[in-house]
Amino acid sequence: MDQTTLTSLSKSPTGIRGLDEITYGGFPQGRPTLVCGGAGCGKTLLGMEFLIRGILDYAEAGVFVTFEESPGELARNFTSLGVDLNVLVNDKKLALEHVQVERSEIEETGEYNLEGLFIRLANAIDSVGARRLVLDTIEALFSALPNEFILRSELRRLFRWLKDHGVTAVITGERGEKTLTRYGLEEYVADCVIVLDHRLTDQIATRRLRIVKYRGSIHGADEYPFLIDEHGISVLPVTSLHLRHTVSTERISSGVARLDAMLGGEGYYRGSSILVSGTAGTGKTSLAASFAHAACARGERCLYMAYEESEPQVVRNMRSIGVDLQPWIDGDLLKIVAARASAYGLELHLATIHNAITQCHPRVVVIDPISSLMSVGSYLEVSAMLTRLVDHLKTQQITAFLTSLTHFGGTLEATDIHMSSLIDTWLGLYSVESSGERNRLLYLLKSRGMAHSNQVREFLITDQGIELRDVYLGTHGVLTGTARMVQEADDTAQVLVRKQDIQRRRRELERKREAVEARIIAVRAEHAAEVAEAEALIAEEERREAKLDAERADRAAVRGVDAPKGGQS
């Protein structure tokens, strides 16, 4: 949905990844936004990045007013972002104003307690033509005002002054014990209130952001994990991810020819999610590496998140099965990010993957294994995290390949994270034990949108890669490994015996045929001789009869009478 259709309020984009999405465009333009939180949660960084992104991305100059740090300290602190604040100051794009507030400077009586500050702010804004302003932090400004009535009044004056001057302001504040801010008042006069939280749970630190209120605009209301790294702040949206992603009919190879054949002959769908689950040692990582290898061979970038092995270990182990990943790493097609799952919380893992995707622009993402994340969260938390990740990958048309460990004795058609319903193609690997050895089998539990094989295959890991064989069904079920070899040899011997018996029977039949044909020839010859003899006798009788007839005719002629009838003379 277009953000302009969601709100008519003018907004200033922050340029901070993810924050503009959950605020539907940024902070309210020309109005103050309060950012509050405890020490070290990232308030100052958010304010400064708001100004820097405004300068670099939107050509809007800014003013940063600090009540605690000097401009030199700020410049040194923010070199980690790769931005030299002194250069921006010299270019008249940024003004750094350090205001030291003493109790003697602010009196609790009088009408113009903040007039001196207003003058300095106005001069700083005019010096660079600022459209953005940050006040860091508000507690330092009002620390000398214990009177709540005067404090509320001065806060209103400050916020009204900022609105009248049309600058989009970010004001930072310390978190109170039972309120959002130390005084518990600022949230009632700000148009937008954002709370940053840096919490520690089971020795795992996580950062989260929540928009408490946003006048005149809809906004994301959940808690969102955010990450602080060398690129600044990045916020991971949750509720903004909808089931509206496009789908592709393009098919990509799994890296194993016979597995492609099981998947309708063409492999996985582009942008789909693939899960390989199985017990330890069944070959999940080998399948993942084969898929990554095939993607790189197509010229596609691949991001490989390894939670159990280092990059050199993955490369060495896969080279032993004929899958050499090092050329792809050297060619900048494969990026392996190796980290212990227990190193940080789920939100930081999620944000780290998002940042890696942003930097790497992969077409394929491999996470091996997702079950390692169970060490830093419950299965519900891990499932929610992976749901967000899979949805994000699908919106980017990135093919996700996930591996998951199942335990011996558990249900094969289930995962520890219970996220199989999110998966488009699910492959199961398991071991069978027979004759004192364990062998691997592979089968397809499901593959949405395509015709696929329902046959179990024997899964072999060789020095030339992965090989799938048709299973061997013996009288006692599926046979694999040595048992299969023995049975195949026995069956081959039996086949040879049967062939020899057939050949013997054929030779015997041939001999009988030849004997019969010989007898037929002899009978025919005997018959022919008898026929010739009979015909000779008949011819002889015919000649003799003809001679007798001639002699009778001669005698009759001599006598001068007709020959007597009946042969009488």
Side-chain angles (χ1 to χ4, degrees), residues 17 234 303 351-362 392 398:
R17 287 168 292 177
S234 57
L303 173 64
T352 300
I353 296 173
H354 271 250
N355 282 346
I357 291 171
T358 301
Q359 298 170 29
C360 184
H361 302 291
H392 176 69
I398 297 173

Side-chain angles (χ1 to χ4, degrees), residues 232-247:
I233 292 177
S234 57
V235 182
L236 180 65
V238 180
T239 56
S240 58
L241 298 174
H242 304 290
L243 291 175
R244 297 173 183 169
H245 48 77
T246 58
V247 295

Side-chain angles (χ1 to χ4, degrees), residues 72 94 135 171 222 281 307 323 326 374 435 520 531 558:
L94 175 67
L135 294 178
I171 302 171
D222 295 329
Y307 290 135
V323 178
Q326 191 61 50
M374 291 293 294
S435 303
I520 292 173
V531 169
V558 170

Side-chain angles (χ1 to χ4, degrees), residues 150-167:
I150 297 177
L151 177 60
R152 182 186 291 271
S153 175
E154 295 305 303
L155 280 172
R156 289 186 180 277
R157 286 188 65 204
L158 173 62
F159 280 60
R160 174 51 57 190
W161 187 92
L162 294 172
K163 286 184 178 181
D164 291 343
H165 283 73
V167 292

Side-chain angles (χ1 to χ4, degrees), residues 270-287:
R270 168 83 67 190
S272 63
S273 54
I274 302 117
L275 174 66
V276 178
S277 62
T279 53
T282 50
K284 301 180 295 297
T285 299
S286 298
L287 265 180

Side-chain angles (χ1 to χ4, degrees), residues 296-332:
C296 294
R298 293 192 299 269
E300 300 174 3
R301 289 183 180 273
C302 176
L303 173 64
Y304 193 115
M305 305 298 299
Y307 290 135
E308 292 184 344
E309 298 176 283
S310 66
E311 177 180 319
Q313 188 176 3
V314 171
V315 173
R316 181 202 65 186
N317 294 348
M318 293 304 102
R319 188 179 288 126
S320 70
I321 66 169
V323 178
D324 192 357
L325 300 178
Q326 191 61 50
W328 309 127
I329 297 174
D330 297 338
D332 199 30

Side-chain angles (χ1 to χ4, degrees), residues 204-220:
I204 301 296
T206 59
R207 300 179 187 270
R208 298 190 182 184
L209 177 149
R210 182 167 67 95
I211 303 173
V212 177
K213 77 170 185 178
Y214 198 143
R215 288 175 181 162
S217 173
I218 64 171
H219 58 275

